[in-house]
Amino acid sequence: MEVKQLAKEIETIARRAGEFITQNKITNISEKTQASDIVTDLDVKAQEMILKACLELLPQSEYVAEEDTHKTIGEEYTWVIDPIDGTTNFAYDFHHSCISIALLYKKKGLIGVVYNPFLNECFVGIENEGSYLNGKRIHASQNDLKHAISVVGTAPYYKEYADVVFDNMKKLFLAGRDVRRTGSAALDCCYVACGRVDVYYEERLSPWDYAAGLIIMKNAQACAKALHGEFDYLNPVGIIAANETCFEEVCALLGVNHE
Ligand code: IPD
Ligand code: CA
Ligand code: CA
């Protein structure tokens, strides 16, 4: 199947899952590793729906999905799925969550789809082709650091990093216009990709949090670098992402080599 057609099929899967989570009521919320780390019954059901459809689309593919212990990167196609990114927002009816689906080919990002059903916004990134919001081409902003809005993820499941996280947040706040904390890493990436924010920083993320958003950012002229490792889609890493104008400045501010 042609890659653009494949992206359309993935968008349909994400939109269906988005409709499912917004049209059904949560009946169970449980804590995973700690009080800040929760999962609802709709996370699990949405993931089942998404996985079934993805594996039907590409029967030979492998997958890494948040609410599943099976986490394997295949030789050819691999899905990296977060059925609901921003689960805490979702459980609190905060209306800022999304479905995030990435498709890798030979361990590299090929297609990223992030769908926010509350705003009916679907971000799609296609490797070497471009990134789109509801079909319209998107690009990262051009603001320098002094004029930057930075979105910061607090790495809520890694509270041992709180000092470095909030020190870095303060640095970004003082160096730029302001900071934001939204509660969805995948949407944070997409917001860098379409210029709604200029910088995104989070000290620790899981592969399903960044996989689709990374493809969308890269194909919208944004820069991104993994902290404490590589974007290998298997292990947790940190992330610094920004538009091309301020990326080096941001890396220097946070003491990170930008190359
Ligand atoms: C979380 C959200 C949050 C980010 C965390 C993620 P989840 O994902 O994206 O914004 O700060 O690092 O784990 O648990 O809601 O899928
Ligand atoms: Ca997530
Ligand atoms: Ca999730």
Side-chain angles (χ1 to χ4, degrees):
M1 193 184 296
E2 203 238 327
V3 70
K4 276 193 185 168
Q5 185 54 35
L6 204 45
K8 281 216 172 76
E9 302 281 349
I10 303 169
E11 177 169 344
T12 303
I13 295 170
R15 283 181 178 274
R16 276 198 202 124
E19 203 173 300
F20 172 76
I21 66 161
T22 47
Q23 290 186 358
N24 284 280
K25 281 211 160 45
I26 298 172
T27 57
N28 182 267
I29 300 179
S30 42
E31 289 179 11
K32 297 204 280 184
T33 58
Q34 55 197 292
S36 60
D37 188 3
I38 57 174
V39 60
T40 76
D41 57 318
L42 295 184
D43 290 75
V44 177
K45 287 182 194 144
Q47 180 167 298
E48 279 167 15
M49 270 179 75
I50 296 164
L51 254 180
K52 185 170 178 285
C54 288
L55 297 176
E56 266 168 29
L57 194 58
L58 294 173
Q60 305 300 323
S61 52
E62 268 298 348
Y63 67 90
V64 174
E66 180 173 16
E67 314 303 344
D68 196 318
T69 47
H70 174 99
K71 297 190 190 325
T72 307
I73 307 270
E75 285 306 315
E76 295 208 325
Y77 291 103
T78 304
W79 301 98
V80 187
I81 298 167
D82 195 337
I84 303 181
D85 182 59
T87 293
T88 307
N89 283 348
F90 184 63
Y92 277 74
D93 209 18
F94 195 82
H95 288 202
H96 187 82
S97 310
C98 61
I99 315 295
S100 176
I101 306 175
L103 180 63
L104 314 181
Y105 182 66
K106 298 194 170 173
K107 303 181 183 168
K108 294 214 161 64
L110 179 66
I111 298 168
V113 173
V114 172
Y115 178 57
N116 176 356
F118 298 102
L119 294 178
N120 185 27
E121 288 191 332
C122 192
F123 295 87
V124 177
I126 304 174
E127 188 64 5
N128 297 324
E129 216 280 316
S131 290
Y132 303 84
L133 166 52
N134 290 347
K136 286 205 178 117
R137 194 76 187 245
I138 51 170
H139 299 278
S141 62
Q142 296 185 330
N143 291 327
D144 62 8
L145 182 55
K146 189 177 167 191
H147 301 95
I149 299 270
S150 297
V151 66
V152 177
T154 53
Y157 315 142
Y158 300 90
K159 292 204 167 152
E160 61 275 26
Y161 297 119
D163 284 346
V164 63
V165 169
F166 288 95
D167 283 354
N168 283 336
M169 192 191 272
K170 183 176 177 185
K171 284 182 191 168
L172 289 164
F173 173 67
L174 292 176
R177 280 186 163 139
D178 202 349
V179 293
R180 303 280 184 269
R181 161 56 172 161
T182 74
S184 164
L187 287 172
D188 290 345
C189 293
C190 293
Y191 279 29
V192 171
C194 72
R196 289 180 185 168
V197 297
D198 308 291
V199 178
Y200 169 44
Y201 156 69
E202 185 148 5
E203 191 64 27
R204 273 294 184 289
L205 283 179
S206 292
W208 43 87
D209 299 318
Y210 70 74
L214 183 64
I215 301 165
I216 294 165
M217 286 195 294
K218 268 187 61 192
N219 290 285
Q221 286 76 49
C223 307
K225 187 177 164 59
L227 305 174
H228 323 293
E230 300 296 322
F231 292 123
D232 64 4
Y233 302 97
L234 271 179
N235 297 296
V237 284
I239 187 168
I240 296 186
N243 71 41
E244 285 176 341
T245 314
C246 68
F247 184 66
E248 280 189 36
E249 263 184 297
V250 171
C251 288
L253 180 77
L254 303 190
V256 170
N257 183 346
H258 68 272
E259 274 151 16

